[in-house]
Amino acid sequence: MLVISIKKGWKIIPVWGNLQNKTMAENHKLWGGRFEASLEKWVEEFGASISFDQKMAEFDLKGSIAHVTMLGETGIITKEESLQIKQGLEELLEEYKAGKLEFDVSNEDIHMNMESLLTAKIGPVAGKLHTARSRNDQVATDMHLYLKAKLVEVIEKLDNLRGTLVNLADKHTYTIMPGYTHLQHAQPISFGHHLMAYYNMFTRDAERFEFNIKHTDISPLGAAALAGTTFPIDRNMTSDLMGFAKPYSNSLDAVSDRDFILEFLSNSSILMMHMTRICEEIINWCSNEFKFVTLSDTFSTGSSIMPQKKNPDMAELIRGKSGRVYGNLIGLLTVMKSLPLAYNKDLQEDKEGMFDTVETITVAIDILAGMLNTMTVNDKHMADSTEKDFSNATELADYLAAKGLPFREAHEIVGKLVLECTKAGYYLQDVPLERYQEVSDLIEEDIYETLKSHTAVERRHSLGGTGFDQVKWQIKEAQKALKNKSLRP
């Protein structure tokens, strides 16, 4: 029986050959050659990522197809071997799309699962697929491919949401509502104008995701573990085959860069913030205190105890889900903080937050668009709410200033008059002309037309203002941008 001796300090420890062979046989990992013992099952499960990175299965196979095509074209493996491996990968891709593939946690991740399945399908030649490649550049490639595809989807969904807002704004250009500051009635505005503010927010979101594509559309494949490879690979070829704009220029950066995911999570956080703002307003608007809108039953729920309830649960959920998206951003920032070059196992934690954020924002965008598209706007009630308030006070101050009175003096006069009305229980439009003329001889009978909400909105012609002509211009420019698929007119 063969005996191998290992020197440890001054002791000679005998290791029996058949025991070594046994432990080597037990370690069936693709990286197991250096190890004498296998992981315990619970440790193996802790280190495995197949439960979530299987979401990249399609992209993993597409990356492998590009890689093996290049290996054959450059003569690193024979063309026959390349074609055999490529055919096996394409069969696996079809099986995956048909839902026929099963993954094993003992194979750790999507890459080793796919290699194991490929080996079972075509035999030992499958082992040549990993020539000139590491899981480090492989996983980075998968994530770039995955996120690039998802960014296109997110932008398309934002286009639909932006279009929904523009259509609703067009329908309600002449609908008057109170504009707010500090959640207090401030000045009358067009409801269409209010909606176009959100159109602009979501346009900026789409622009950020468009720019995100620039940093995602780069191929890490060929960077190998961290230092490149001695094989005569063609990184431009694999980059082109996968549809990337270019390969990374630095192999260390290629395998360790997660900025493109951080940008996505940051952009998604800003998007969710914007969605929470309009959702908060929808929640208020459909309350009994506002009654500005009525949500469709499709996007509402009831109460298990109170029969009368119709709750804006979908708007509340979008508002609540912002927390998990923010958390995913902070989580990855924390993982990346102080992380030395190049690859570290910490980076396994980069995926779940990305997947979760993709799934959260894509559904949330559709839900919000659906709510807006199906809600009923109670336009008369909106307009009426500007008649029993002091949101026309600025109109009176501007009226006096336009007749030559310094605005600060006009502001003082109107402020005192508002206080007087508040104590007496009536509004500026109820003040008799005689009283107005006691306050200032500049005030004439035309003041009552000036104080009307419709007039207040109509007169605000300044660029980007709430005047009806300006709102129509905003809508026209937005319609052109959406038609041309450009983010800016």
Side-chain angles (χ1 to χ4, degrees):
M1 185 177 291
L2 177 64
V3 178
I4 300 176
S5 295
I6 301 175
K7 190 171 183 179
K8 184 177 182 182
W10 55 271
K11 293 183 179 179
I12 301 296
I13 303 173
V15 180
W16 296 94
N18 62 347
L19 176 61
Q20 185 190 44
N21 292 337
K22 181 175 184 290
T23 56
M24 288 292 290
E26 285 177 351
N27 195 335
H28 57 279
K29 302 294 187 187
L30 297 178
W31 43 258
R34 180 254 181 272
F35 291 83
E36 292 185 334
S38 300
L39 291 171
E40 292 191 33
K41 184 173 175 55
W42 65 275
V43 177
E44 183 175 68
E45 290 175 353
F46 179 76
S49 58
I50 187 60
S51 62
F52 51 86
D53 68 12
Q54 61 182 273
K55 294 178 186 291
M56 301 189 298
E58 179 178 349
F59 302 101
D60 191 74
L61 288 166
K62 288 179 177 179
S64 290
I65 290 169
H67 181 66
V68 79
T69 300
M70 179 275 296
L71 292 178
E73 289 296 321
T74 55
I76 296 171
I77 64 175
T78 68
K79 287 199 172 183
E80 292 74 17
E81 290 169 330
S82 173
L83 288 172
Q84 185 182 358
I85 296 170
K86 183 179 178 181
Q87 182 178 349
L89 290 167
E90 289 172 343
E91 289 175 9
L92 287 176
L93 182 56
E94 291 305 311
E95 290 172 26
Y96 172 74
K97 289 179 178 179
K100 295 179 180 179
L101 293 187
E102 293 184 5
F103 304 121
D104 187 345
V105 70
S106 67
N107 286 322
E108 296 183 22
D109 54 37
I110 190 60
H111 324 298
M112 286 174 32
N113 266 274
M114 285 303 184
E115 187 168 341
S116 177
L117 290 166
L118 183 65
T119 301
K121 180 178 287 288
I122 66 173
V125 70
K128 294 197 172 188
L129 170 61
H130 210 55
T131 306
R133 185 176 72 170
S134 163
R135 279 188 295 171
N136 295 356
D137 61 334
Q138 187 178 0
V139 68
T141 301
D142 289 1
M143 288 189 294
H144 277 268
L145 286 169
Y146 169 87
L147 192 55
K148 181 183 172 184
K150 295 303 179 182
L151 282 167
V152 172
E153 182 182 343
V154 168
I155 292 166
E156 288 174 351
K157 289 179 179 293
L158 279 172
D159 284 348
N160 178 58
L161 174 58
R162 291 163 61 222
T164 299
L165 284 163
V166 170
N167 291 339
L168 196 59
D170 192 29
K171 184 178 178 181
H172 290 285
T173 299
Y174 292 97
T175 298
I176 307 296
M177 71 173 291
Y180 293 85
T181 61
H182 308 280
L183 207 56
Q184 305 292 315
H185 284 210
Q187 293 177 300
I189 61 171
S190 156
F191 183 47
H193 187 57
H194 193 96
L195 293 168
M196 288 304 293
Y198 283 106
Y199 166 83
N200 282 301
M201 292 183 208
F202 294 125
T203 296
R204 291 193 296 272
D205 289 322
E207 288 173 343
R208 277 184 281 270
F209 286 119
E210 282 273 11
F211 187 76
N212 200 169
I213 291 177
K214 179 180 179 181
H215 291 157
T216 307
D217 198 15
I218 311 174
S219 172
L221 193 59
L226 74 161
T229 177
T230 58
F231 289 96
I233 61 172
D234 187 337
R235 292 191 61 211
N236 287 306
M237 181 189 295
T238 53
S239 178
D240 291 344
L241 287 171
M242 292 183 290
F244 284 118
K246 62 181 180 180
Y248 273 87
S249 61
N250 182 287
S251 61
L252 285 168
D253 187 40
V255 297
S256 63
D257 172 32
R258 297 297 184 270
D259 290 358
F260 67 104
I261 303 177
L262 286 168
E263 285 181 13
F264 170 70
L265 296 176
S266 175
N267 296 340
S268 298
S269 295
I270 297 171
L271 166 63
M272 287 300 293
M273 177 270 291
H274 288 152
M275 286 199 283
T276 65
R277 294 182 73 178
I278 191 169
C279 283
E280 173 72 11
E281 298 209 286
I282 290 170
I283 292 163
N284 287 333
W285 291 343
C286 68
S287 70
N288 196 53
E289 285 71 25
F290 281 77
K291 296 181 182 176
F292 285 178
V293 303
T294 303
L295 289 182
S296 163
D297 288 357
T298 308
F299 297 96
S300 307
T301 65
S303 165
S304 62
I305 188 172
M306 297 169 282
Q308 83 283 7
K309 294 297 295 296
K310 183 176 181 180
N311 300 324
D313 277 13
M314 300 307 112
E316 292 170 353
L317 271 173
I318 292 174
R319 186 176 62 182
K321 284 179 182 291
S322 63
R324 70 191 296 154
V325 175
Y326 296 173
N328 291 334
L329 171 60
I330 298 301
L332 185 55
L333 282 169
T334 307
V335 167
M336 298 301 296
K337 177 185 177 293
S338 305
L339 204 61
L341 291 174
Y343 182 84
N344 299 271
K345 189 66 167 178
D346 312 49
L347 290 175
Q348 184 167 294
E349 294 299 306
D350 59 5
K351 299 171 195 63
E352 287 181 280
M354 176 181 69
F355 297 147
D356 179 73
T357 297
V358 166
E359 291 166 7
T360 299
I361 67 170
T362 50
V363 175
I365 294 169
D366 286 345
I367 291 286
L368 179 55
M371 274 195 297
L372 290 168
N373 196 42
T374 58
M375 73 181 185
T376 300
V377 177
N378 304 321
D379 48 4
K380 185 178 186 305
H381 188 76
M382 265 189 184
D384 288 348
S385 69
T386 66
E387 298 297 330
K388 300 297 180 182
D389 66 0
F390 292 96
S391 61
N392 54 1
T394 307
E395 307 313 307
L396 179 54
D398 284 351
Y399 175 92
L400 292 169
K403 293 199 171 190
L405 192 68
F407 183 79
R408 282 299 164 213
E409 291 183 30
H411 188 286
E412 178 76 11
I413 289 171
V414 176
K416 288 179 177 178
L417 196 55
V418 167
L419 178 61
E420 178 184 313
C421 291
T422 301
K423 289 180 175 180
Y426 52 80
Y427 301 96
L428 291 175
Q429 56 267 39
D430 303 321
V431 175
L433 182 61
E434 295 79 10
R435 176 59 186 142
Y436 270 128
Q437 292 178 336
E438 288 175 8
V439 170
S440 173
D441 58 9
L442 295 173
I443 300 176
E444 301 179 36
E445 194 168 353
D446 61 349
I447 188 60
Y448 297 106
E449 181 64 28
T450 300
L451 292 174
K452 289 180 180 179
S453 296
H454 188 278
T455 305
V457 175
E458 187 175 43
R459 292 176 64 233
R460 279 176 160 69
H461 302 299
S462 58
L463 180 66
T466 192
F468 302 125
D469 57 343
Q470 283 297 310
V471 176
K472 287 180 179 178
W473 170 77
Q474 291 177 56
I475 291 169
K476 184 179 178 181
E477 292 298 297
Q479 288 170 335
K480 285 195 295 185
L482 289 167
K483 183 178 180 181
N484 297 331
K485 291 294 182 182
S486 63
L487 294 172
R488 287 291 181 192

